Amino acid sequence: MKSKIWLILKYSYQNKVRPKKRKDGTYKKSNPFSALAAYLIPAVVFGISITPFMYLMFKDLNIPLSQLGIDLPWTILDIVFSMWFLIMGFMFFLNYSPAIVANLYESDMTKILLAMPLKRSDIYLSSAVDSLIMAGLPLGMMIPIFFVYGIIAKTNMLLATISGIGYILFLLLISNLGGVLFSKFLTKTSAKRMTMIMYFISIFIYVGITNIIPRIMENNSINQITESLTKLSTLLLNYAWPHTWIILIMKGNIIALTILLVTIIILGYIVYNISNSLELSVSRKKGKKKNNEINFKTTKFPTIKKDFKLLFRDSQTFFLILYPIFLPLIFIFTNSDANIMSLVFIMIATIYSAMLAIYSIAYEGKIWPMPKLLPITMGNMIFSKIIVPILIFSAEYIGISFLAFFLGKATWVIFVTIIPVIILIVYASILGVSIYLKNPKRDLSQKNIIKGKEVMSLEGIVMGFSFGIFLPGNLYMLSINNVQMKNKFIDFLFDSSILYHLVGGVLPISLLVLAIYLTIKEINKVKERMLKWE
């Protein structure tokens, strides 16, 4: 079985890693696991980079709860790291399980492999290994933390290594069990959407839980702190949780190690047997009764409706649509200042609106010249690609602004920023289409539709406008009713009141006027390039 899975992965990764060219002109074939490592190592490096900060942050928390009068065998460190293990494991499961389904039914190789003398479990397991590239970040962030906990808690590092390997194996198997079960009722499109949605949900849960301990410690009452820690340890360090077994193993508990090993063996047996009975055909839904009667539905804006559906159908563009509201919502639901939310949102949304416009027009490029045969003008078709990202991100920002204001997280300044945000989104969308139309016959076989130089140019322009308008503009408006902030702003500008008004008031307005002018200029370019698109 091992050699068969290796062979499947070997050919699968040929399209994922560019082959290295030798001096003699031949190409070196890629190794499946070296290709997989190329995707996972950056996640591990990221995890290692946060390790010193984790150590410095929690090195003084190895305090037994018994010292606080709590009759439990845990420490405050155990509570903190149990949250980390639980959330990272939860994130991995929610990302990895749907990714297996999406990869299994999207792969062009699945049909070919089904016609070969292979077990279904071989096909499934190769897809599971292949899908690790889509869910490696939580694992990468988790691996170094086992050793950080071991160092702070002064446990045996061999036990820390064993428990870490055991927990990762458990997560892989429980996620594969989830993938097997999900594959019975999820389609590849719904699996992709679920992966994206679960990614955001898990991050929100992580942010929420990591704010629990600081909020508990803010309370001055010792009795309330003790009561809160008791409830938290009872919840997070329940013996039914697998991460609790990991902490116990690090402390030398043989019973916990035995339970973990038995669980891993049972899960492996279940996954192997269920995967052999999977229905791996691409169309797994029951066929609907065909209706020979054709009904034509009319709509006022057919092209806009079509582009909306295409964008929400693709998992990557679905991610681009949701991500700009992700960080602002964290600002709202944590103790962060939501008034800087506009800067965070616009920096992300402008780039993504341009990318969405490019992806939308690329859909037409893939089937060109068929769109010319449709009963719509080129102008209407291009207008639809521009207006859809504008509608999406403008609606997101307006919704977030009202939510932040009514929850008391932002001031009236948030409403003043709505018009500048929409202006920059409009400019970015038009700029994206203009960049694409420079070369409409570009290679559309990959997701990277525009060149690196074009991406850098696009990001530089929109980020320059974002910083120039919203950073000084927001500070200027907030300082109007805040004397202390105003004085600090003036001090930063060499104690000059003139510079205070020029940088805070005149500069953002000037940049907005420039953005409007460049928008009109790009519209004219789009019209010219549109006529040359054959």
Side-chain angles (χ1 to χ4, degrees):
M1 182 179 72
K2 180 181 175 182
S3 59
K4 292 178 181 178
I5 294 174
W6 178 272
L7 192 63
I8 295 169
L9 290 172
K10 179 180 178 181
Y11 288 103
S12 173
Y13 276 94
Q14 297 299 318
N15 294 325
K16 292 183 173 64
V17 179
R18 292 181 180 179
K20 294 181 180 179
K21 193 173 183 180
R22 295 192 182 100
K23 291 182 179 179
D24 59 358
T26 60
Y27 288 92
K28 182 181 179 182
K29 295 181 180 179
S30 59
N31 183 295
F33 286 108
S34 64
L36 180 62
Y39 285 95
L40 295 181
I41 285 175
V44 177
V45 171
F46 176 75
I48 294 172
S49 67
I50 65 173
T51 299
F53 300 101
M54 294 287 289
Y55 175 79
L56 294 173
M57 191 181 301
F58 302 121
K59 63 184 179 66
D60 298 323
L61 292 182
N62 193 24
I63 303 168
L65 295 179
S66 57
Q67 291 185 10
L68 302 175
I70 302 173
D71 187 21
L72 288 171
W74 309 111
T75 65
I76 295 178
L77 186 72
D78 294 337
I79 297 175
V80 172
F81 277 80
S82 66
M83 287 192 292
W84 185 271
F85 294 142
L86 176 62
I87 295 302
M88 290 297 107
F90 190 56
M91 287 175 62
F92 178 74
F93 175 82
L94 292 178
N95 280 270
Y96 186 39
S97 297
I100 294 172
V101 182
N103 189 44
L104 187 64
Y105 294 105
E106 187 182 43
S107 175
D108 295 330
M109 292 183 64
T110 302
K111 290 181 181 179
I112 301 171
L113 295 173
L114 286 171
M116 295 182 177
L118 295 169
K119 292 182 179 179
R120 293 178 186 271
S121 58
D122 293 342
I123 301 173
Y124 174 81
L125 290 174
S126 62
S127 174
V129 175
D130 197 8
S131 302
L132 270 175
I133 64 175
M134 303 171 69
L137 185 59
L139 276 187
M141 294 173 67
M142 193 187 305
I143 291 171
I145 305 306
F146 293 111
F147 300 101
V148 174
Y149 176 85
I151 293 170
I152 298 175
K154 298 178 181 178
T155 61
N156 188 308
M157 295 309 293
L158 177 61
L159 290 176
T161 305
I162 293 171
S163 61
I165 294 171
Y167 191 51
I168 290 171
L169 281 173
F170 171 81
L171 289 177
L172 287 170
L173 288 170
I174 198 70
S175 299
N176 273 275
L177 180 60
V180 167
L181 298 176
F182 287 151
S183 65
K184 291 184 176 294
F185 61 88
L186 279 182
T187 62
K188 64 179 182 181
T189 303
S190 58
K192 286 180 179 180
R193 290 176 181 172
M194 184 178 176
T195 302
M196 293 299 153
I197 293 170
M198 290 299 105
Y199 174 81
F200 292 116
I201 290 174
S202 59
I203 293 292
F204 275 117
I205 293 173
Y206 171 72
V207 172
I209 289 184
T210 51
N211 277 273
I212 290 175
I213 293 291
R215 290 186 180 182
I216 289 174
M217 295 305 176
E218 285 175 3
N219 199 319
N220 294 322
S221 172
I222 298 297
N223 292 331
Q224 289 186 5
I225 291 175
T226 303
E227 184 181 353
S228 299
L229 288 175
T230 303
K231 291 179 180 178
L232 205 56
S233 59
T234 304
L235 173 66
L236 294 173
L237 291 165
N238 191 293
Y239 290 104
W241 289 114
H243 65 266
T244 305
W245 309 340
I246 302 306
I247 293 174
L248 289 171
I249 293 169
M250 290 188 190
K251 294 182 178 183
N253 192 310
I254 302 300
I255 296 175
L257 178 60
T258 305
I259 293 172
L260 180 63
L261 290 175
V262 171
T263 305
I264 288 172
I265 293 170
I266 293 172
L267 283 173
Y269 177 79
I270 293 172
V271 170
Y272 177 77
N273 281 280
I274 295 179
S275 61
N276 268 323
S277 62
L278 283 177
E279 175 59 48
L280 297 178
S281 60
V282 176
S283 91
R284 298 165 289 143
K285 292 185 177 180
K286 293 181 180 180
K288 296 181 180 179
K289 291 182 179 180
K290 291 185 178 180
N291 187 2
N292 294 325
E293 189 177 326
I294 300 174
N295 295 321
F296 291 97
K297 294 181 179 179
T298 58
T299 179
K300 291 183 179 179
F301 306 103
T303 54
I304 294 176
K305 185 178 180 181
K306 182 203 73 172
D307 289 327
F308 263 112
K309 287 186 175 181
L310 284 174
L311 289 177
F312 279 93
R313 183 181 179 184
D314 189 293
S315 60
Q316 182 172 351
T317 55
F318 188 60
F319 175 84
L320 298 182
I321 291 169
L322 291 181
Y323 194 71
I325 63 174
F326 166 65
L327 287 178
L329 285 175
I330 289 181
F331 280 108
I332 292 174
F333 291 107
T334 61
N335 293 325
S336 304
D337 184 7
N339 282 306
I340 63 170
M341 182 183 71
S342 56
L343 177 61
V344 176
F345 180 89
I346 197 64
M347 285 176 61
I348 302 171
T350 46
I351 295 172
Y352 285 0
S353 62
M355 296 308 297
L356 284 182
I358 290 170
Y359 285 137
S360 293
I361 198 168
Y363 288 133
E364 309 296 343
K366 289 177 180 179
I367 58 172
W368 195 261
M370 189 178 293
K372 294 180 71 175
L373 304 177
L374 300 175
I376 55 172
T377 63
M378 281 288 292
N380 287 337
M381 185 185 74
I382 300 296
F383 173 76
S384 172
K385 317 304 175 189
I386 295 170
I387 198 65
V388 168
I390 296 171
L391 292 175
I392 291 172
F393 293 120
S394 299
E396 286 181 354
Y397 188 73
I398 292 170
I400 290 173
S401 299
F402 277 99
L403 179 64
F405 182 77
F406 287 121
L407 290 176
K409 298 289 185 176
T411 62
W412 57 270
V413 172
I414 200 76
F415 296 115
V416 179
T417 60
I418 289 177
I419 293 177
V421 165
I422 293 175
I423 289 173
L424 283 190
I425 291 173
V426 171
Y427 173 57
S429 298
I430 295 171
L431 181 61
V433 172
S434 179
I435 289 172
Y436 177 88
L437 290 176
K438 278 185 181 179
N439 179 20
K441 295 182 180 180
R442 62 184 73 220
D443 181 17
L444 301 177
S445 60
Q446 302 294 327
K447 283 290 183 182
N448 300 325
I449 296 172
I450 59 176
K451 299 177 182 178
K453 187 184 292 186
E454 293 172 327
V455 174
M456 295 295 291
S457 173
L458 177 64
E459 291 178 349
I461 292 170
V462 297
M463 288 181 69
F465 274 109
S466 301
F467 274 107
I469 293 171
F470 293 98
L471 188 59
N474 282 7
L475 288 174
Y476 184 75
M477 288 186 288
L478 290 170
S479 66
I480 292 174
N481 297 323
N482 190 327
V483 178
Q484 187 177 3
M485 181 182 289
K486 182 177 180 179
N487 291 333
K488 287 182 179 180
F489 198 5
I490 293 174
D491 289 341
F492 179 75
L493 296 171
F494 309 103
D495 292 328
S496 173
S497 298
I498 297 175
L499 281 178
Y500 166 71
H501 292 293
L502 287 175
V503 173
V506 177
L507 177 62
I509 293 173
S510 302
L511 288 175
L512 278 175
V513 172
L514 178 60
I516 294 170
Y517 168 75
L518 292 177
T519 301
I520 297 170
K521 194 173 180 181
E522 290 299 330
I523 289 173
N524 293 329
K525 287 183 181 179
V526 167
K527 290 178 179 178
E528 292 176 6
R529 291 167 180 170
M530 178 182 67
L531 296 174
K532 296 177 182 178
W533 189 9
E534 297 178 357

